[in-house]
Amino acid sequence: MLEKIFKLQEHNTNVRTEVSAGIVTFMTMGYILVVQPSFMGAAGMDVGAVTAVTALLAGVFSIVMALYTNRPFAMAAAMGSNAFFSFTMVQGGLATWQQGLGMTFISGIVFFLLTIFGLREVIVKAIPKNVKLAIGAAVGFFIAQVGFKNGNLMSITDGKLELGDLTSPGVMLVVIGLFILVGLMARKIKGAVLISIVLITLIGIPMGITQIPDKFITLPPSIEPIAFKLDIIGSLKLSFFPIMFTFFVGDFFSTLGTVLGVSAKAGFLDENGDLPDINKPFLVDSIATMVGAVLGSTVVTTYIESASGIEAGGRTGLTSVSTGVCFLLALFVTPVVGMIPSEATAPALIIIGLLMISAVKDIDFSEFTEAFPAFATIIFTAFTASLSNGISIGIISYVFVKLVSGKYKELNIGAYVLSVLLLMYFII
């Protein structure tokens, strides 16, 4: 049955590898079960209800993504948009969280319509090939940066990027974890990432970093305090349109960057740097955002940590089914998920970032007008910690450098339209 549904032999994989890869993906993105409730709690939403909704949406839509696309893409509440939602919009007094959910729902509808009418695919094809190739490398730098940040191996002090405190127990555990994972990878041990996360979590117990919970099984809290509380009518104010535009552009290009970057690592892209049937993950993404808003969540999107499962060998939807099942089980074993410290997943993210940076070898650096936009995509993603920033600046710089070099005939109408819209995004 699994062979018929997921075509495992065709993708040169097996059940054991796929399930293991799905667990790895869950472990590297499980932090969302802690971060999302924390962020939304700051916006005045019920923390227990947010935890339950976050696990439920990640579980259900990771499985939906698997069955509809047969890709190893896991889904959950998007990082970035949740911070904007809580700290900029709600705490900044721009809107209530109910109105914010209404805006999220409307963004989901726009995503859905663009996908149905094929406009999202048109936008993807309007993006230059070299920028698409650069996205894979940019994702690598982005993931590595997340690993360094989560593990406190780097810190920003007085505006300067500095090495973390190597004498602190947390950083020491990350360093130990890196040695373990590098050793396992060098010896080509299957399941190296999963093994390292488990080992680091266990080593963290005597170091006082891994906290053993009082109980391991709990009933999920009610979602009633936040479900069906979105205010669609209240979100239709003219003054909210710039906020919704910011939501839309940021999430569109973040999702696009994740899908293309992760697909590049898995070898799913064609010769033009496009993902065949890309509208399928886009469709699931838009529906997940609409349903998420109804239940009380910010944007639900494809997760960049899916790359960890791909590195562990995942190549089909069975990987994301496994991830989805883990999230659904987490509804009842949230304390167990909370045991895994960020220090245990940081080494995995750093090494996965390294492996994804290899996509830079496919970029054409022989022509300056092609090389500079790719460079801009990577650099701005890495230094602003934002895929949407990197891709947007890559597209704008591509149009600019082609115009000033007199090679405007190489531009299509889609590139012009995109660059104008993205300039508006930065101005807003």
Side-chain angles (χ1 to χ4, degrees), residues 263-408:
S263 295
K265 179 60 183 174
F268 295 152
L269 301 183
D270 61 21
E271 64 276 5
N272 297 316
D274 294 322
L275 176 67
D277 294 323
I278 196 172
N279 272 343
K280 285 188 173 183
F282 277 161
L283 188 63
V284 177
D285 185 270
S286 60
I287 294 173
T289 293
M290 288 188 288
V291 174
V294 171
L295 294 183
S297 174
T298 48
V299 173
V300 179
T301 190
T302 307
Y303 249 56
I304 201 167
E305 282 81 3
S306 300
S308 61
I310 287 172
E311 178 54 37
R315 289 296 181 272
T316 74
L318 184 54
T319 292
S320 38
V321 164
S322 304
T323 303
V325 170
C326 287
F327 270 109
L328 293 178
L329 290 175
L331 281 166
F332 303 93
V333 292
T334 305
V336 176
V337 178
M339 275 184 62
I340 304 171
S342 58
E343 290 85 355
T345 56
L349 294 174
I350 293 169
I351 297 302
I352 291 162
L354 161 67
L355 297 173
M356 294 193 70
I357 290 170
S358 63
V360 75
K361 70 180 185 300
D362 298 318
I363 299 172
D364 178 14
F365 286 105
S366 62
E367 166 59 45
F368 182 81
T369 61
E370 294 289 334
F372 180 77
F375 168 78
T377 300
I378 295 170
I379 290 299
F380 278 94
T381 295
F383 288 107
T384 68
S386 169
L387 269 175
S388 56
N389 283 350
I391 298 171
S392 300
I393 291 174
I395 294 169
I396 293 170
S397 64
Y398 181 82
V399 173
F400 174 77
V401 76
K402 288 293 183 182
L403 286 175
V404 298
S405 65
K407 297 183 178 182
Y408 56 87

Side-chain angles (χ1 to χ4, degrees), residues 32-338:
I32 194 63
L33 295 175
V34 177
V35 175
Q36 179 75 353
S38 173
F39 281 16
M40 296 302 100
M45 299 178 71
D46 184 270
V47 172
V50 172
T51 304
V53 166
T54 302
L56 181 64
L57 290 171
V60 170
F61 281 101
S62 290
I63 293 172
V64 171
M65 177 70 81
L67 298 177
Y68 185 56
T69 70
N70 196 26
R71 301 290 191 189
F73 302 153
M75 303 190 71
M79 290 295 296
S81 63
N82 55 6
F84 178 81
F85 181 103
S86 179
F87 302 113
T88 300
M89 188 175 65
V90 178
Q91 287 198 351
L94 300 177
T96 64
W97 63 262
Q98 292 91 341
Q99 290 170 330
L101 292 177
M103 292 183 221
T104 302
F105 182 79
I106 293 170
S107 293
I109 291 177
V110 176
F111 281 140
F112 180 78
L113 293 175
L114 287 176
T115 303
I116 290 295
F117 291 109
L119 293 177
R120 285 178 97 171
E121 190 169 4
V122 170
I123 293 172
V124 173
K125 290 184 177 178
I127 298 174
K129 179 181 178 180
N130 250 23
V131 171
K132 289 176 188 170
L133 293 174
I135 289 171
V139 168
F141 281 105
F142 182 76
I143 289 180
Q145 184 190 62
V146 171
F148 278 107
K149 181 181 177 182
N150 288 357
N152 292 315
L153 277 174
M154 288 185 182
S155 63
I156 299 178
T157 306
D158 297 328
K160 294 190 298 181
L161 189 63
E162 297 180 346
L163 191 65
D165 182 5
L166 295 178
T167 63
S168 70
V171 176
M172 288 174 62
L173 181 59
V174 174
V175 173
I176 292 170
L178 269 174
F179 279 120
I180 291 173
L181 182 53
V182 168
L184 292 172
M185 295 289 290
R187 296 183 65 85
K188 298 181 179 179
I189 303 296
K190 285 190 175 182
V193 175
L194 178 57
I195 293 170
S196 69
I197 292 174
V198 173
L199 287 176
I200 300 166
T201 300
L202 293 175
I203 294 171
I205 294 175
M207 295 179 69
I209 296 170
T210 302
Q211 301 298 317
I212 300 177
D214 296 328
K215 52 184 177 180
F216 295 94
I217 299 176
T218 58
L219 289 175
S222 170
I223 66 172
E224 190 276 332
I226 62 173
F228 305 100
K229 298 296 193 297
L230 70 168
D231 182 3
I232 298 175
I233 302 301
S235 66
L236 292 175
K237 293 180 181 179
L238 189 62
S239 60
F240 287 163
F241 281 10
I243 299 176
M244 280 191 277
F245 183 71
T246 303
F247 255 135
F248 176 80
V249 174
D251 289 323
F252 180 91
F253 285 99
S254 179
T255 299
L256 172 63
T258 297
V259 170
L260 292 182
V262 171
S263 295
K265 179 60 183 174
F268 295 152
L269 301 183
D270 61 21
E271 64 276 5
N272 297 316
D274 294 322
L275 176 67
D277 294 323
I278 196 172
N279 272 343
K280 285 188 173 183
F282 277 161
L283 188 63
V284 177
D285 185 270
S286 60
I287 294 173
T289 293
M290 288 188 288
V291 174
V294 171
L295 294 183
S297 174
T298 48
V299 173
V300 179
T301 190
T302 307
Y303 249 56
I304 201 167
E305 282 81 3
S306 300
S308 61
I310 287 172
E311 178 54 37
R315 289 296 181 272
T316 74
L318 184 54
T319 292
S320 38
V321 164
S322 304
T323 303
V325 170
C326 287
F327 270 109
L328 293 178
L329 290 175
L331 281 166
F332 303 93
V333 292
T334 305
V336 176
V337 178

